[in-house]
Each structure stands twice: as C-alpha cells, then as structure tokens.
Amino acid sequence: MERNQFLLFLSFLFSIIATILGIAILVSGSSLARFSSGTGGSLFQASEIGAVVIPIVGEIHSGESTFDSTGADTVLRQLRELDEDTNVKGILIEINSPGGTVAASQEIFNELLHLRKSKKIVVSMKDVAASGGYYIAAASDYIFAENGTITGSIGVISFAPNVKGLLDRYGVGVRTYKAGKYKDMYSPFRDSTNEEDDMIGKQLQDTYRKFVEDVAKGRNKTVKSIEELAEGKIYSGEDAFRNKLVDDIGGRREAHKKLSELCQYEGLIPLFEQEYSPFERMIRSLGVKFLGEGSQTAKIRSLLQAQVLVILPTALGKLML
C-alpha cells in the first residue's frame, strides 16, 4: 500500500514539474525550431539562397513530431512554408525510419511530389528507410543510400491481437454491444469471420496497389517493374542500387553535392536545419510539443493534453506501412 502511494506521489510530482517547465516556455515566449546554417553562417533569412534539411526519423504517424518519431502535421507545415519561399532552392530529406501509418506517409509523399515542381529534392538514407520511409523517399529527384542501409519493404500490414484462447482458458467472457454488423471487426476477444477476413484483405490490397503505383510514379518507373521488387522484400543499400530503387551509394556529403548540382548552385549550396536548445529537447522529450506557432491558447491546450504520465496503446487494426 505504501509503495503504491509512493509511486502515485512520484507520478504527481513528475506531472507538476512537466507542467511548470511547459508554462516557463509559454511565459518566456521562446521560439523553437529555428533554421540555422549547417555549413557555417548566421540564422536563415529570407534574403539568403539555400536548401533546407528535413529529417524523417522513427515511426511516421499523423499529428506532431517528437524527437524519436515523425508527425505528418509537423512535416507538412514545414514543407508548405518552404514552398512559399523562393530563396529555398532545394530540400535534403534525411530518412532513418522503418515506416509507419499509411495516411501519414501518403500525405508527406504527395506534398513532396508537389514541391518537386519548384524545388529540387534529394534523399539521404541512414540506417533504415523502409516501407513508409521508402514511400516518402520515392517522391524525391534523387536517392542516396549507404551500403548497409536497410530499405525497400514495399508492402502493407494490419494486425490485431487475439486473446480469445487465453480468456477461454480462465473462463473470462467479454460482452460486446454494437450497432453495425462489422463494428467490432478487429476485436481481440473473438475470432474473425471469413467475410471479415475478405474485407480486410481487400483493404490491404487496395492500399498496397496505391503504394506500388505511387512509388512507380515518383521513381518514373513502370508499375510492373516496381511490383517485381515489392511484396515486402527488404534490400541492403547496395542491393537497392543494383535494382534501381535508389540512385547512388553515399551519405550526406554526396547528397549535399548532388543537391547543389541539381539546384545549379556554384559550389555547395548552404544547408539550413532545425536546432533545439538542450532545454527545448528536455521539454519535447516529456511529450510537451511547443513549436512556436499558433495562439497562446493553443499552446496551453497542447500542454494540458500532453501524455506525460500515460502512454496509451495505439488503436487496433490500423494499417501500417
């Protein structure tokens, strides 16, 4: 009993500290995520010609980014701001992601495809750029991967646990009330029907077909050629290069040089990337996301809704790339 009270006290104390730190940012009016020069120089200004680095790290999902995941809302906001800046000639996308949700990956892919009409886009793959990570990479003008990069995995997966056998073993039953025959289709408390399996299969095939078509469109390849490389197969960077899933072997240095060439910039085009102070990193690691945008009311609402103490399970049955 005393142990539980102690843990409850620690949780409460942690919540209070996180709240105070978040309010401190509001009061100070701190502006996060400034673009600063990655090649020497001052803060990025509208009068400077340059390119911007956009990282795609961790799980790709809807909402805002954290330090170890990529939120589509954050990336889309950044890309749309860059779209309006005529002095930003190129974008370097650095990807270190195993994939994520379908809609989030599709949104970023479509926005990059739109930007490709006016900006040059080069991708530099790190450890992993698979599934949704590769989906996004396919929207670029040129892709670099390291020899040891893991990429490909063009496929779709959906999953839901089934604990029916475990519950039956211990005589536990679950009553489900629903309006709509298929409302509990992903229920972990019963086996799915053949009809439900067919519905899920069709959903997966539709999404998979769109994935393959988008990759073919982004890479200027035929759908048939991408189908032969898809089916969830994974590739090393070297193997991906042989199969023309990526354009060359290299890292940031090579990607930076190629981007400069595509932008027709003499020498190396200045790169600008987001920087966060150690204090800002600590705040964001607690799950409090303040990006220096919007009204103070929106920031306070974000603070109050931040999941500091509880990490909720993700929704069952969502489509993953």
Side-chain angles (χ1 to χ4, degrees):
M1 184 67 178
E2 292 181 356
R3 183 174 179 275
N4 290 339
Q5 290 177 339
F6 178 70
L7 291 175
L8 183 62
F9 171 75
L10 286 181
S11 298
F12 177 74
L13 181 63
F14 182 76
S15 178
I16 292 297
I17 292 173
T19 302
I20 292 174
L21 290 175
I23 291 175
I25 286 184
L26 296 180
V27 173
S28 65
S30 143
S31 177
L32 304 187
R34 297 174 180 173
F35 281 102
S36 61
S37 174
T39 56
S42 59
L43 289 177
F44 180 68
Q45 298 173 356
S47 60
E48 297 183 56
I49 298 294
V52 172
V53 178
I54 300 291
I56 304 292
V57 297
E59 180 190 354
I60 302 164
H61 55 81
S62 298
E64 301 295 339
S65 296
T66 67
F67 277 108
D68 57 2
S69 71
T70 296
D73 290 355
T74 300
V75 176
L76 292 174
R77 182 167 54 246
Q78 293 170 338
L79 294 177
R80 287 164 185 164
E81 288 176 356
L82 298 179
D83 190 20
E84 299 173 357
D85 194 332
T86 57
N87 287 311
V88 175
K89 302 301 182 182
I91 302 172
L92 175 58
I93 308 288
E94 293 192 321
I95 302 179
N96 193 16
S97 169
T101 59
V102 174
S105 302
Q106 288 174 336
E107 278 192 305
I108 298 173
F109 170 87
N110 289 327
E111 190 64 28
L112 286 173
L113 213 57
H114 166 75
L115 271 175
R116 208 164 82 176
K117 299 173 184 177
S118 58
K119 317 284 184 187
K120 297 303 179 182
I121 304 173
V122 172
V123 163
S124 174
M125 293 180 170
K126 304 303 180 184
D127 293 329
V128 182
S131 204
Y134 185 78
Y135 203 147
I136 291 171
S140 66
D141 293 293
Y142 208 87
I143 301 175
F144 282 91
E146 296 289 1
N147 293 87
T149 297
I150 297 174
T151 188
S153 190
I154 301 172
V156 187
I157 187 171
S158 181
F159 55 87
N162 187 335
V163 298
K164 180 180 180 298
L166 179 65
L167 297 180
D168 289 345
R169 179 178 179 181
Y170 292 99
V172 178
V174 176
R175 291 180 294 177
T176 300
Y177 305 94
K178 61 182 179 180
K181 181 180 178 181
Y182 306 106
K183 189 62 179 176
D184 67 335
M185 188 164 61
Y186 277 99
S187 172
F189 307 120
R190 67 171 179 84
D191 295 327
S192 59
T193 66
N194 290 335
E195 187 180 4
E196 289 169 340
D197 288 342
D198 290 341
M199 292 174 63
I200 294 171
K202 184 179 184 303
Q203 183 184 26
L204 291 171
Q205 285 301 319
D206 288 345
T207 306
Y208 175 66
R209 185 178 65 252
K210 178 62 175 172
F211 190 173
V212 171
E213 290 173 350
D214 280 348
V215 169
K217 181 180 180 181
R219 295 290 295 161
N220 295 315
K221 306 288 185 182
T222 64
V223 170
K224 183 178 179 180
S225 68
I226 299 300
E227 284 177 337
E228 294 173 352
L229 299 170
E231 298 182 346
K233 299 173 186 174
I234 60 173
Y235 302 88
S236 67
E238 189 172 356
D239 203 17
F241 174 60
R242 283 195 294 265
N243 285 283
K244 300 182 180 181
L245 286 173
V246 305
D247 299 296
D248 211 340
I249 299 297
R252 174 181 275 216
R253 184 189 302 275
E254 291 76 15
H256 187 190
K257 181 179 178 181
K258 185 64 178 181
L259 183 60
S260 302
E261 293 174 1
L262 293 177
C263 293
Q264 298 181 339
Y265 190 90
E266 187 175 348
L268 291 177
I269 191 168
L271 284 181
F272 302 95
E273 53 191 314
Q274 288 182 326
E275 287 188 353
Y276 298 93
S277 70
F279 180 71
E280 292 163 347
R281 287 179 177 273
M282 180 177 65
I283 290 298
R284 285 171 62 91
S285 68
L286 293 174
V288 186
K289 308 175 184 69
F290 294 103
L291 302 179
E293 299 148 326
S295 65
Q296 296 298 316
T297 301
K299 292 179 181 178
I300 293 173
R301 186 183 301 114
S302 177
L303 169 66
L304 296 176
Q305 293 177 347
Q307 297 176 1
V308 176
L309 299 178
V310 181
I311 301 176
L312 300 176
T314 55
L316 299 178
K318 66 182 179 181
L319 292 180
M320 301 291 289
L321 293 173

